[in-house]
Amino acid sequence: MQTHTYEIERQVQERHWWFRVRRRLVAETIAGLDLPPAGEARALDLGCGSGSHGPVLARVARVAGCDRSAEAFREAPHGAYAWRLRCDALRLPVRDASVDLVLAADLLEHLDDDREGLAEVRRVLRPGGWGLFLVPAFGWLWGVQDDVSEHRRRYTGALLRGRVEEAGLTVARATYFNTFLLPPIFLARYFMRRTGMKVESENELTPGWTNGLLERVFGLEVPLLRRIDLPVGVSFLCLARKT
């Protein structure tokens, strides 16, 4: 089983607008969930990497971070995780029906068997517990970053919804996001495929001075997503419940 390539994720998080805006989206999504009081609720940050979502989850629950990499926990924000589990996402050292919220952000696409991963999420969730899944969207958007990050697949909304429901979870919300930047990302990846342009990481294509602009453009979607679901995007979000 493959999880985050930790060093790649760490380098991206240090300079990338993407993670800052996505944290806002995760925070807004979980803020309205029916959870026990924060002191009683338990959350699992599955494939936590260097802990970018830990402080967000800690607002609503006591959080266990889970990752295969020991490096991840050396970089995790202080106090974000009440427990740190170095483990495989397909064999969690967590009791059945003991977790109120599981976040799997940029994890499922790394798994050889995402069905098994989703079944494990359902196992650890309590009845009424929530699973929040964020994945890259559309196979035709495959690019260098997918290869670098060792992705196994990109998802359509229908594919992820089907896998989630197959695992025995009930979908509460499903939407694409990172929609406004879909055209430039598609064009950049199409150009690279057509020309054979080689880079070690797509981050080389966006100079540092563009981060603020890209963050503002992507950030415009956060208030929009409070009201509507988006029909296309570079990524897909699925919120589901064990009922």
Side-chain angles (χ1 to χ4, degrees):
M1 190 280 291
Q2 293 77 30
T3 56
H4 292 276
T5 302
Y6 169 72
E7 184 60 22
I8 293 169
E9 186 201 29
R10 183 187 66 78
Q11 292 173 1
V12 170
Q13 286 190 33
E14 286 177 352
R15 64 186 293 272
H16 216 279
W17 47 273
W18 161 257
F19 286 91
R20 292 192 292 270
V21 179
R22 196 178 65 173
R23 280 194 292 270
R24 290 171 51 196
L25 178 58
V26 169
E28 294 217 359
T29 302
I30 67 176
L33 297 183
D34 179 17
L35 293 169
E40 301 174 14
R42 299 292 183 265
L44 180 61
D45 188 0
L46 193 54
C48 63
S50 56
S52 64
H53 293 106
V56 173
L57 295 172
R59 298 173 192 172
V60 299
R62 298 188 69 197
V63 188
C66 169
D67 202 283
R68 292 189 72 182
S69 169
E71 293 294 326
F73 299 117
R74 296 193 188 114
E75 298 287 336
H78 178 72
Y81 297 124
W83 305 276
R84 301 182 180 202
L85 308 176
R86 188 179 178 190
C87 58
D88 189 316
L90 303 185
R91 290 175 290 275
L92 296 173
V94 178
R95 295 192 306 273
D96 293 359
S98 62
V99 178
D100 301 288
L101 172 64
V102 174
L103 173 65
D106 288 345
L107 174 80
L108 294 177
E109 66 272 19
H110 293 267
L111 304 181
D112 288 330
D113 189 344
D114 56 353
R115 290 181 174 90
E116 189 176 350
L118 287 164
E120 187 71 344
V121 170
R122 186 187 187 281
R123 179 186 70 79
V124 303
L125 280 176
R126 291 173 177 162
W130 297 91
L132 178 58
F133 310 100
L134 290 84
V135 297
F138 297 123
W140 46 264
L141 273 176
W142 193 275
V144 170
Q145 212 61 34
D146 294 290
D147 294 323
V148 169
S149 300
E150 300 180 351
H151 290 173
R152 295 297 181 264
R153 69 194 68 81
R154 297 180 71 94
Y155 290 81
T156 62
L159 175 60
L160 184 58
R161 286 183 67 115
R163 295 280 167 86
V164 168
E165 290 171 350
E166 182 183 338
L169 301 173
T170 301
V171 174
R173 187 182 187 192
T175 179
Y176 289 94
F177 65 100
N178 199 6
T179 298
F180 295 161
L181 293 171
L182 175 60
I185 289 174
F186 168 73
L187 290 173
R189 292 183 173 181
Y190 178 77
F191 174 80
M192 292 172 67
R193 286 195 299 269
R194 293 288 292 181
T195 63
M197 181 179 178
K198 303 294 184 182
V199 294
E200 291 187 6
S201 168
E202 290 179 8
N203 299 321
E204 298 174 14
L205 304 176
T206 53
W209 62 266
T210 64
N211 284 353
L213 174 61
L214 294 170
E215 184 173 352
R216 286 191 292 274
V217 173
F218 184 19
L220 292 173
E221 293 182 20
V222 177
L224 186 62
L225 285 164
R226 295 173 193 152
R227 300 173 177 83
I228 63 171
D229 295 333
L230 298 175
V232 294
V234 177
S235 303
F236 191 77
L237 176 152
C238 182
L239 176 67
R241 197 170 198 184
K242 182 178 178 179
T243 57

